[in-house]
Amino acid sequence: MRTTCPYCGVGCGVAAQARSRTLDVKGDADHPANLGRLCSKGAALDKTVGLEGRLLHPMIGARRVSWGEAIQRVASRFAETIARHGPDSVAFYVSGQLLTEDYYAANKLMKGFIGSGNIDTNSRLCMASAVMAHKLAFGADLVPGCYEDLDLADLVVFSGHNAAWTHPVLYRRMEAARARGQRHVVIDPRRTDTADAAELHLALAPQTDVRLWNGLLADLIRRGAIDRAYVAAHVSGFADVEAELAQADQSPAAVAADCGVPLADLEAFFRLFAETPRTVSLFSMGANQSSQGVAKGSAILNVHLATGRIGKPGACPFSITGQPNAMGGRETGGMATTLAGHMDFDEPARARVQRFWGSPTIATAPGLKAIDMFDSIAAGRIKALWVMATNPAVSLPDAGRVREALAACPFVAVSDCVAETDTLAFAHVKLPALAWGEKDGTVTNSERRISRQRRLFDPPGEARADWRIVSDVATAMGFGDAFGWRTQAQVFREWARLTAYENPEPGSGGRVLNLGPLAGVTPDAYDALEPVQWPVTAGGGTPRLFTDGRYQTPDGRARMVPVAARGPAEATSGVYPLSLNTGRVRDHWHTMTRTALAPELCRHAPEPYVEIHPADAGPLGIGEGALTRVQTSHGEAVALAVLTDRQRPGSVFMPMHWTEAFAPQGRANPLVAPKVDPRSGQPEFKHTPARVRAYRETWRGFFIARDAWKPPAGLDLVWRRIPHAACQLHEFAGRGDAGERAAVQKALTRKAGDVLRYEDLAAGSLREAWIDGERLERVIFFTTAGLLPPRAWLADLFAADVLTAADRTALLIGRQPGQAMDASPIVCACRGVRAKRIETAVAGGCASVDAVGEATGAGTSCGSCRPEIARLIAAAKGDVRHAA
């Protein structure tokens, strides 16, 4: 069965063979997005389709109920709230994990039948600034390029985009182009794997992106590299932008000084850009997640419009989305700031959509964006909330305040496929939704390509499609005539008809988003739908937009937008002298509800960490691997210190994935200030003033068992849970005395089974192992000083059917018998290859990534680890820039 991956916005095709609840997966060689490749996450999809931890039945509180009772409760509470307080007293918060059909149904109910704009999506956190920049420049949220442009470009600029980790399939796609001479420039404060492999890395100071891109445009003007003919024929606003540039010193020396980059590197970038017509500028979260994200996007678009590098093979600005269907939500109206189908809230558009829906009302204005929505919940203005397929208690900034808002909200409904998330803890009604492999519908990827996600398994328990749950609630609210769909194909056909409704032909003033030829698709044709890029014409899809120089503006001309460089929304200070930047790791996704089900995806970055430059860590007494407190004015987290000069001095970095279930003290987003871009409403995840301090624990330990464990209430521990194939590893540390350790030991003690025990009171060491029959059931190791043993060999013992005498001896002495265990970091998650094995292969003569792969297997599956392998090879060769 051909389907589409549920992770990032690349939209990779997956060839899957399902048997019962097991799955064989490989890349779909015929899908144009990935051409058969999958990343580490996609390759591990087979590990994530079990029913462990699933929400399979509707719940009201802790009580299992029928669908009828659950639907009636949601419908009545929303209807009563609207009747008492008006339509703006309710809200939907939805997700890029929804299918386009789900998004369409939810948006139709909120904006057309409830009559409020209060539906927003977690894509607000990822792409809202790019959306606004597109609308300002092109007249609509239109992505001009396609993945083929990455093959054809001679220069690719990565602006705030660590593609090697966040979009590894696209990054690998560029390998062939690099072999023929394609060059890469990375603009990023951190020296990421993408930056390591690039010809040039500009490690700019936080929030100086606009200054850099404005400086580039000014330099292009000085060089005479502007396409004056293109600007005269197709672009407006050039003179205004030129006047704005004149307000500051745009000399390379001034720009380099303000951005904190070497002048020679800046000049090399300016020269390279000017001399390379086929240039693609990829921009993603590093540019968007900013209080000046729209200005960053506009500055990038300005450069491409001024040089005419748009609508041409191998030349375009390219916003890369984070989620599998962020684009689908942007198209259907899942964002509070658009109505539907790339139509806004002007009177003609409102009347048009209301006519099409035959709705009793229509939202009169944009609704509340994500941060404003939860502020309104906290203030008591929104009294009923429906969350669909997302986890805002973890993913939103200032997450502690979000939890307070959810706790205070009079009514919260949550649709999800898992039984426990941080957000579900606040739900009054829990609605079981389908997961990937059960869903059936469409998604749109970053290049506007619509692909099918197809059902591989029958729905488990009582789980339902999100579009159906929405239509059931709409029917219970009295709107059944407009929501009477029986299949997802019917929802899709209606959506396609809306895009074509009162929409003139392209080039005649119509909307570019048009799926008209798909509006009459039959059920069989829908099932067999091949990937296609919109706008869809009778001849098929459209790879590139603006090839004729016409844009979706009233006069058909693109608009350059003057933007001024400015400082961050909140400056660092003597109290909080560092800039906290948050982001993703290579093998995890969002809040880990899916990736944590695959133990191999938990190996590369097994627990929360904070990257710190050694110059910042040293004076504070923070060493490599030490537990470290990261504090802002909004909260505190504790994570392992990673000391690296890949991190810019004065800045620290934390991943955002961990939750209450895996590392309650390691959650990054409670630290993030809720500053937003004033136009897009996108939060500033890339800069919050912070400080770090050593945690200074008095003891450390770990506990391994077959099931997950949480410390009992009242114990002040820092703990993390790391899934393994046959067990769960729990790391913990405390700052208490022997009484605290005794309390933890008591909470972990098991009465039944044989016990192996060793204790050294003088050294503060304890080792205990419980054995049931011949199987290891649980292990505890404590220490107040000294080292704890590697965990991997202990975790492997849980997979054994029988413990040997040597195993029992090893448990007592606290180390694996025989040769020393390789405890170096995992590099290749797919093959379980550690750094030491790769270093040994390199020392033995493997001088290329392919050679290392042949010797060790590393990098031969999904290839996500290939940049890291290249870094290890560079380290062995003494290449300082690429090694550290």
Side-chain angles (χ1 to χ4, degrees):
M1 179 76 74
R2 297 176 66 200
T3 185
T4 308
C5 181
Y7 288 116
C8 76
V10 175
C12 293
V14 176
Q17 187 69 40
R19 294 185 303 276
S20 183
R21 290 300 300 197
T22 63
L23 196 64
D24 293 327
V25 297
K26 62 180 181 179
D28 181 355
D30 295 324
H31 197 290
N34 60 314
L35 306 174
R37 295 188 181 98
L38 290 177
C39 74
S40 57
K41 295 182 286 292
L45 279 169
D46 59 312
K47 308 297 196 308
T48 69
V49 295
L51 298 181
E52 305 87 7
R54 287 291 300 276
L55 179 63
L56 297 176
H57 307 283
M59 306 285 291
I60 295 180
R63 180 171 59 93
R64 177 176 165 178
V65 299
S66 68
W67 264 112
E69 185 177 352
I71 292 295
Q72 190 56 47
R73 177 66 62 91
V74 175
S76 62
R77 289 300 301 267
F78 268 76
E80 291 165 5
T81 302
I82 293 164
R84 292 179 182 176
H85 305 287
D88 289 333
S89 64
V90 301
F92 296 167
Y93 187 62
V94 298
S95 165
Q97 298 292 309
L98 294 177
L99 303 181
T100 298
E101 293 79 0
D102 306 325
Y103 258 129
Y104 178 77
N107 187 59
K108 180 179 178 180
L109 174 57
M110 178 56 75
K111 289 177 182 158
F113 288 81
I114 291 174
S116 172
N118 285 347
I119 174 173
D120 207 33
T121 168
N122 60 7
S123 300
R124 178 71 56 190
L125 314 183
C126 306
M127 305 311 305
S129 291
V131 170
M132 180 58 68
H134 288 157
K135 292 177 73 171
L136 291 171
F138 308 145
D141 176 20
L142 301 169
V143 177
C146 60
Y147 294 163
E148 185 187 38
D149 291 325
L150 301 177
D151 305 329
L152 301 176
D154 296 318
L155 172 65
V156 178
V157 181
F158 299 85
S159 186
H161 183 205
N162 183 17
W165 278 24
T166 60
H167 300 93
V169 169
L170 282 188
Y171 188 76
R172 288 208 64 195
R173 182 169 178 156
M174 288 179 264
E175 286 181 348
R178 296 204 75 186
R180 66 156 175 82
Q182 183 185 86
R183 291 167 291 185
H184 290 179
V185 174
V186 174
I187 301 169
D188 196 313
R190 302 170 61 222
R191 196 168 76 245
T192 62
D193 277 4
T194 309
D196 254 330
E199 281 73 19
L200 184 61
H201 173 214
L202 299 177
L204 78 174
Q207 307 308 321
T208 58
D209 307 59
V210 174
R211 181 69 166 127
L212 179 71
W213 285 95
N214 276 357
L216 170 61
L217 181 55
D219 187 78
L220 292 168
I221 293 171
R222 282 193 299 269
R223 291 174 185 267
I226 303 301
D227 189 336
R228 299 283 178 179
Y230 188 88
V231 170
H234 304 298
V235 179
S236 62
F238 181 84
D240 293 336
V241 170
E242 201 168 20
E244 176 61 44
L245 295 178
Q247 300 302 307
D249 181 355
Q250 301 294 349
S251 67
V255 174
D258 289 345
C259 295
V261 299
L263 176 59
D265 288 351
L266 185 84
E267 290 180 326
F269 170 51
F270 286 179
R271 183 170 57 254
L272 190 59
F273 198 100
E275 295 172 353
T276 313
R278 287 195 171 197
T279 296
V280 172
S281 296
L282 292 169
F283 60 107
S284 193
M285 306 309 161
N288 294 327
Q289 290 180 330
S290 168
S291 58
Q292 43 192 300
V294 175
K296 293 179 184 181
S298 293
I300 294 169
L301 299 184
N302 284 345
V303 169
H304 278 265
L305 289 171
T307 55
R309 296 178 187 180
I310 187 168
K312 299 171 183 175
C316 65
F318 204 151
S319 164
I320 297 293
T321 54
Q323 295 193 80
N325 203 31
M327 288 284 282
R330 289 154 61 174
E331 295 156 10
T332 56
M335 302 187 88
T337 43
T338 60
L339 183 57
H342 284 187
M343 289 175 277
D344 291 327
F345 291 87
D346 55 279
E347 181 55 38
R350 291 176 56 248
R352 181 185 305 120
V353 175
Q354 187 171 9
R355 279 195 303 276
F356 179 84
W357 281 340
S359 59
T361 185
I362 197 77
T364 59
L368 294 172
K369 307 178 189 78
I371 303 301
D372 297 332
M373 179 183 292
F374 282 86
D375 284 347
S376 190
I377 295 169
R381 293 186 294 273
I382 288 180
K383 303 176 184 297
L385 174 70
W386 187 352
V387 177
M388 303 180 198
T390 187
N391 196 6
V394 177
S395 57
L396 283 169
D398 200 9
R401 178 170 166 78
V402 171
R403 290 165 185 257
E404 293 171 1
L406 288 167
C409 189
F411 182 73
V412 177
V414 178
S415 303
D416 213 317
C417 61
V418 295
E420 292 185 15
T421 69
D422 292 32
T423 300
L424 274 164
F426 300 96
H428 301 98
V429 178
K430 302 173 185 177
L431 304 170
L434 299 179
W436 180 85
E438 301 151 8
K439 293 183 177 189
D440 203 316
T442 57
V443 294
T444 307
N445 73 357
S446 293
E447 61 168 351
R448 296 170 284 104
R449 191 179 297 278
I450 300 167
S451 298
R452 289 279 277 112
Q453 259 192 31
R454 293 184 171 91
R455 177 173 295 171
L456 307 173
F457 305 108
D458 291 335
E462 297 180 89
R464 291 183 179 177
D466 287 283
W467 66 262
R468 183 183 170 192
I469 300 172
V470 172
S471 66
D472 288 345
V473 170
T475 298
M477 293 179 72
F479 308 130
D481 289 346
F483 291 83
W485 309 299
R486 297 183 302 280
T487 68
Q488 56 274 10
Q490 291 177 321
V491 185
F492 180 82
R493 285 197 295 271
E494 182 179 318
W495 155 238
R497 288 199 304 274
L498 174 59
T499 67
Y501 184 65
E502 297 181 2
N503 191 4
E505 289 294 318
S508 304
R511 304 183 300 278
V512 174
L513 173 58
N514 192 329
L515 312 184
L518 300 179
V521 67
T522 66
D524 287 345
Y526 176 80
D527 286 341
L529 185 66
E530 288 291 316
V532 61
Q533 289 171 282
W534 61 258
V536 182
T537 67
T542 306
R544 291 178 191 84
L545 303 183
F546 316 135
T547 55
D548 60 356
R550 287 193 57 82
Y551 296 83
Q552 193 180 308
T553 55
D555 61 3
R557 299 168 68 89
R559 296 179 296 230
M560 291 178 64
V561 179
V563 288
R566 57 185 177 85
E570 184 179 359
T572 55
S573 66
V575 177
Y576 297 108
L578 304 174
S579 173
L580 170 65
N581 176 8
T582 65
R584 302 180 184 182
V585 299
R586 190 188 73 191
D587 294 341
H588 273 312
W589 175 253
H590 284 197
T591 61
M592 297 171 56
T593 51
R594 182 184 292 115
T595 51
L597 298 172
E600 60 265 43
L601 298 181
C602 302
R603 299 282 79 80
H604 185 251
E607 51 188 304
Y609 64 87
V610 54
E611 285 187 352
I612 314 171
H613 193 279
D616 294 322
L620 299 171
I622 297 172
E624 176 69 23
L627 284 172
T628 301
R629 300 165 66 194
V630 185
Q631 301 169 315
T632 72
S633 61
H634 300 275
E636 176 175 330
V638 180
L640 294 181
V642 174
L643 272 54
T644 173
D645 64 1
R646 291 159 61 85
Q647 179 63 50
R648 183 184 174 90
S651 298
V652 294
F653 171 82
M654 277 191 72
M656 51 75 68
H657 306 283
W658 281 270
T659 67
E660 285 281 349
F662 293 98
Q665 294 86 3
R667 295 178 294 119
N669 284 349
L671 281 62
V672 176
K675 306 292 184 181
V676 299
D677 184 287
R679 287 179 290 187
S680 72
Q682 182 158 357
E684 171 72 276
F685 284 103
K686 301 303 182 186
H687 170 78
T688 298
R691 65 187 178 204
V692 295
R693 298 288 188 272
Y695 178 70
R696 304 197 189 285
E697 67 274 18
T698 58
W699 67 279
R700 293 172 293 120
F702 63 83
F703 168 57
I704 309 177
R706 296 191 180 275
D707 299 315
W709 172 83
K710 285 186 177 181
L715 289 177
D716 183 20
L717 300 180
V718 171
W719 67 273
R720 298 86 72 201
R721 174 164 68 89
I722 305 163
H724 283 253
C727 60
Q728 300 284 325
L729 166 63
H730 308 81
E731 300 276 354
F732 42 77
R735 293 188 288 189
D737 55 14
E740 183 178 69
R741 299 195 300 278
V744 174
Q745 183 183 359
K746 181 178 179 181
L748 296 174
T749 297
R750 177 176 175 163
K751 302 297 184 185
D754 297 331
V755 181
L756 300 176
R757 189 170 192 274
Y758 168 84
E759 185 171 17
D760 183 341
L761 294 175
S765 297
L766 171 71
R767 296 192 284 274
E768 290 185 343
W770 282 264
I771 301 168
D772 187 355
E774 298 297 325
R775 299 177 75 223
L776 184 61
E777 289 297 314
R778 46 177 58 192
V779 171
I780 301 172
F781 278 63
F782 289 170
T783 186
T784 57
L787 299 176
L788 290 165
R791 318 316 188 241
W793 68 275
L794 288 165
D796 289 344
L797 291 180
F798 282 80
D801 292 328
V802 177
L803 283 180
T804 67
D807 293 333
R808 291 171 181 257
T809 301
L811 287 169
L812 280 173
I813 65 175
R815 65 176 182 271
Q816 185 184 30
Q819 65 182 29
M821 177 80 176
D822 181 0
S824 62
I826 286 280
V827 174
C828 179
C830 300
R831 305 292 189 192
V833 183
R834 295 180 179 273
K836 185 176 180 180
R837 187 177 172 194
I838 294 171
E839 290 164 352
T840 300
V842 174
C846 294
S848 69
V849 173
D850 289 338
V852 168
E854 195 169 324
T856 68
T860 61
S861 182
C862 74
S864 299
C865 61
R866 289 173 67 88
E868 191 165 351
I869 296 171
R871 179 150 46 89
L872 292 172
I873 295 171
K877 293 178 178 178
D879 185 339
V880 176
R881 190 179 77 85
H882 293 290

